[in-house]
Amino acid sequence: MRAGPREKRKDKKKILVCRGHTAHTELRPDRSLSLFRSYLHLPQSATMPPKHYRPPGKKKEGNAAKYITRTKATRHLQVSLNTFRNLCILKGIYPRVPKKKFEGNHKTYYGIKDMTYLAHEPLLDTFRQIRAHEKKIKKAKARKNKEREERLCNRMPTYKLDRLILERYPTFVDALRDLDDCLTMVHLFASLPAVEGERIQVKRIHNCRRLSHEWQAYISRTHSLRKTFISVKGIYYQAEVQGQKITWLTPHALQQVLTDDVDFNIMLTFLEFYETLLKFVNFKLYHSINVKYPPILDPRLEALAAELYALFRYVATGSARRPAESKFVASIEEKKDSNEKMDTAESQSDLRLAQLQHQLPSNEPGALMQLLEDSNNADDEVDQDTIECKTLFKNLKFFLSREVPREALLFIIPAFGGVVSWEGEGAPFEETDEDIAYQIVDRPTQGHKFLSRHYVQPQWVFDCVNSRIIIPADEYMVGMVPPPHLSPFVDNEAEGYVPEYAEAIKQLQAAAKKNVMPLPDLDDQDLTDPQNLLAEGVMDRTHANEAAEERRKLQLLEKQYHDELKMEMSGITYSATLSNKKPDNTGSDEMQHKDEVMVPVSTEKDDEDDRAKLYMSRKKRGLYEAIEISNQRKKDKVALLKERKRKAAASKSG
């Protein structure tokens, strides 16, 4: 049926109202939306399509195809949130930050490929079996079926992480590179109190303590420790194992309290993986020095809480015994092979003898011994750092009082070639031993003192280790305020500020290495040049720059003095010189010389920087400006430190 003119006008008016073209009244948003729905013949309860609407069947694109939220990932894997966290921690899967968070900033995103990789993990089925088994135990406990509950508890499904270690670390070097967090976590749990009924099992704490002592025993036996530093958080250590620098933190020997602010379930999951990783690493390292793993400790020393010393003894005896055993086994195998292949051995021995006769010089004395020494040197190649660490405390005996941190010093002193004992049962030697060179104490008064030894504070050991020399113990005596404890992890030359005690340490190092004496071809004039002293290693770069500036100022003053002396000898008065000067030359000769020399160089450098900035893109220009701001902040920090140093020196002298 055809619509009349009146109905057409009504439809047209309805369209204009929906578009907001009415001149008399302004429609409300809800009213216009209802009119638009009625015009499209939609029900009033229907919702509008979203802004980024994707029709069904169309493929996802962009970030939506690369990332997935954590909620959708747990639903896709059909696991709980705790199980999902455990899987991600064990597999090494971490959240991602997409450029555009398509579902909001308040959600956590993961990679689609990571979730696909996680869906095929065999460990996922084991976690599902454990969850189903826990439900059975809970049901038996609710029905008060003790017998079934005990039987189910004894048959709990178990799993191993050996395959995950091999997946995440294909080579041994990869495992060493990722060992920093592992060692820090294991040493942290090793210092926690082992109390029954707490949130952490006692056997886990004992296992962490055993693993940490095994690692320390290897580092001490191979003299791989390089740096130590005492901070507020704890004691930092850095070791070098197979060319990899490993840094970890151990807490201070204080009573630890478990707080409620920390989620120990997540930390225990990390610890579960790190324990397995450290076992594999210790196994590989112990076998590299021909020591059987796991070690068997002396039960008497273990009962006296001297596990670290027991491990030292085991490693020392094991590394000396295993080569002899291996040689004996090798000799037996060689005898068997020789009996089986007697005919071919004679011809091979004749050929080898002919080769040796051709290689060895016949008439030169000591040629065979020289060849053996060269082969031994080739087998026992040790870098210079290991030699320095091995001989730092060589032939020195130390004794630890009961108030000093015993475990830290028991680890550091043997790592640098020293012999150490302590106050208590199981000690190698007593306090009355006359061969003791240094006794580490931390009390202002002592009941009795031996005149044949030095009584020093524990900081002396750490400073000696960082500087690689035996520092004089005068400033570390008992009851005195020790020098500042400098961090070996900070490069003073890169920072631009060298503390006074660091300069004193460098002078002691230069004196110990006999580098203070100049080169034979240098005369007295070259000795005053800071660049020559910098090349010889007597002073550092910052101190050399300051000395060069002072030398230049002295040369300017000397030149000014000679000029004035010449003018006075020629009969020119001081007033005549002032009248002959031009109005522009108001500054002194030093400032004029400085302006003539310094200003053109600086302006030329600024012009070059400005020209280089013109050819930079906006991104590179912003990065360059950020670097300049960082350098300026560093300079301001150095200036502040120098000002504080000047004020401290002034207050001390005043």
Side-chain angles (χ1 to χ4, degrees), residues 572-598:
I572 302 175
T573 60
Y574 181 72
S575 59
T577 57
L578 290 178
S579 61
N580 292 333
K581 282 186 177 181
K582 295 181 181 180
D584 297 337
N585 298 335
T586 57
S588 61
D589 293 340
E590 178 186 352
M591 296 301 297
Q592 290 177 5
H593 183 74
K594 185 175 181 180
D595 293 338
E596 291 175 1
V597 176
M598 298 299 295

Side-chain angles (χ1 to χ4, degrees), residues 72-140:
K72 290 184 178 180
T74 53
R75 290 176 182 173
H76 175 68
L77 297 175
Q78 298 180 2
V79 294
S80 62
L81 182 59
N82 293 332
T83 306
F84 178 76
R85 285 174 177 169
N86 296 343
L87 280 172
C88 290
I89 290 171
L90 296 177
K91 293 288 291 183
I93 297 174
Y94 298 96
R96 305 295 182 90
V97 182
K99 293 182 179 179
K100 184 177 181 182
K101 298 182 178 181
F102 52 92
E103 291 199 14
N105 297 329
H106 60 283
K107 292 189 177 182
T108 307
Y109 295 87
Y110 288 86
I112 288 286
K113 292 184 178 179
D114 294 338
M115 295 301 103
T116 306
Y117 177 62
L118 201 61
H120 299 280
E121 173 60 34
L123 201 61
L124 185 61
D125 296 335
T126 307
F127 281 156
R128 288 171 179 165
Q129 294 175 8
I130 291 174
R131 186 180 179 185
H133 203 81
E134 288 176 351
K135 287 183 179 180
K136 294 179 181 179
I137 294 175
K138 187 177 180 181
K139 186 181 295 185

Side-chain angles (χ1 to χ4, degrees), residues 383-401:
D383 55 344
Q384 189 66 25
D385 289 342
T386 305
I387 295 174
E388 290 181 0
C389 296
K390 188 176 182 179
T391 59
L392 179 61
F393 295 145
K394 189 176 181 181
N395 300 327
L396 293 179
K397 281 190 175 182
F398 295 82
F399 188 83
L400 309 179
S401 298

Side-chain angles (χ1 to χ4, degrees), residues 73 106 274 447 480 506 508 598 610 654:
H106 60 283
Y274 287 152
M480 297 180 60
K506 287 187 177 181
L508 291 174
M598 298 299 295
D610 294 339

Side-chain angles (χ1 to χ4, degrees), residues 330-342 344-345:
S331 63
I332 294 177
E333 293 179 355
E334 288 178 358
K335 288 181 180 179
K336 291 182 179 179
D337 295 338
S338 61
N339 293 330
E340 293 177 356
K341 302 178 180 180
M342 185 64 69
T344 59

Side-chain angles (χ1 to χ4, degrees), residues 287-509:
H287 278 262
S288 65
I289 58 175
N290 295 323
V291 178
K292 186 179 179 181
Y293 188 86
I296 302 173
L297 304 182
D298 188 356
R300 184 180 65 86
L301 293 175
E302 193 173 2
L304 295 173
E307 300 95 341
L308 190 58
Y309 176 66
L311 275 168
F312 289 160
R313 291 180 54 182
Y314 175 80
V315 171
T317 57
S319 60
R321 185 179 64 250
R322 286 294 296 272
E325 295 178 358
S326 60
K327 289 180 180 179
F328 179 71
V329 174
S331 63
I332 294 177
E333 293 179 355
E334 288 178 358
K335 288 181 180 179
K336 291 182 179 179
D337 295 338
S338 61
N339 293 330
E340 293 177 356
K341 302 178 180 180
M342 185 64 69
D343 298 334
T344 59
E346 293 180 358
S347 60
Q348 291 178 359
S349 61
D350 295 339
L351 179 61
R352 183 61 179 166
L353 182 59
Q355 292 176 355
L356 288 175
Q357 288 177 355
H358 178 70
Q359 292 177 1
L360 290 177
S362 56
N363 298 327
E364 187 177 354
L368 182 59
M369 294 301 298
Q370 183 66 30
L371 183 63
L372 292 176
E373 289 178 0
D374 294 341
S375 63
N376 291 332
N377 294 332
D379 294 337
D380 300 330
E381 289 183 355
V382 182
D383 55 344
Q384 189 66 25
D385 289 342
T386 305
I387 295 174
E388 290 181 0
C389 296
K390 188 176 182 179
T391 59
L392 179 61
F393 295 145
K394 189 176 181 181
N395 300 327
L396 293 179
K397 281 190 175 182
F398 295 82
F399 188 83
L400 309 179
S401 298
R402 64 175 181 270
E403 70 273 4
V404 300
R406 191 177 78 175
E407 287 196 1
L409 295 174
L410 276 177
F411 169 48
I412 295 173
I413 294 174
F416 288 86
V419 182
V420 63
S421 181
W422 62 90
E423 186 176 349
E425 297 182 2
F429 49 88
E430 299 293 334
E431 185 180 1
T432 57
D433 193 346
E434 297 181 356
D435 295 335
I436 297 175
Y438 295 93
Q439 184 167 348
I440 315 298
V441 296
D442 203 8
R443 284 180 292 177
T445 58
Q446 298 292 325
H448 55 278
K449 289 186 177 181
F450 296 89
L451 300 178
S452 60
R453 68 186 66 170
H454 297 278
Y455 289 85
V456 294
Q457 301 182 29
Q459 182 184 334
W460 178 83
V461 178
F462 292 87
D463 290 346
C464 289
V465 165
N466 294 330
S467 59
R468 306 285 178 86
I469 57 172
I470 302 296
I471 302 176
D474 299 335
E475 298 182 357
Y476 297 89
M477 301 300 289
V478 181
M480 297 180 60
V481 178
H485 184 51
L486 303 177
S487 174
F489 299 97
V490 177
D491 189 359
N492 295 322
E493 295 185 5
E495 293 294 330
Y497 176 75
V498 181
E500 289 184 359
Y501 193 62
E503 295 178 357
I505 290 295
K506 287 187 177 181
Q507 293 177 2
L508 291 174
Q509 289 175 346

Side-chain angles (χ1 to χ4, degrees), residues 48-85:
M48 297 295 295
K51 184 177 179 181
H52 302 285
Y53 178 68
R54 181 178 60 86
K58 186 178 179 181
K59 189 177 180 181
K60 291 183 180 181
E61 298 176 355
N63 291 331
K66 296 179 181 178
Y67 302 99
I68 186 173
T69 61
R70 187 178 64 182
T71 305
K72 290 184 178 180
T74 53
R75 290 176 182 173
H76 175 68
L77 297 175
Q78 298 180 2
V79 294
S80 62
L81 182 59
N82 293 332
T83 306
F84 178 76
R85 285 174 177 169

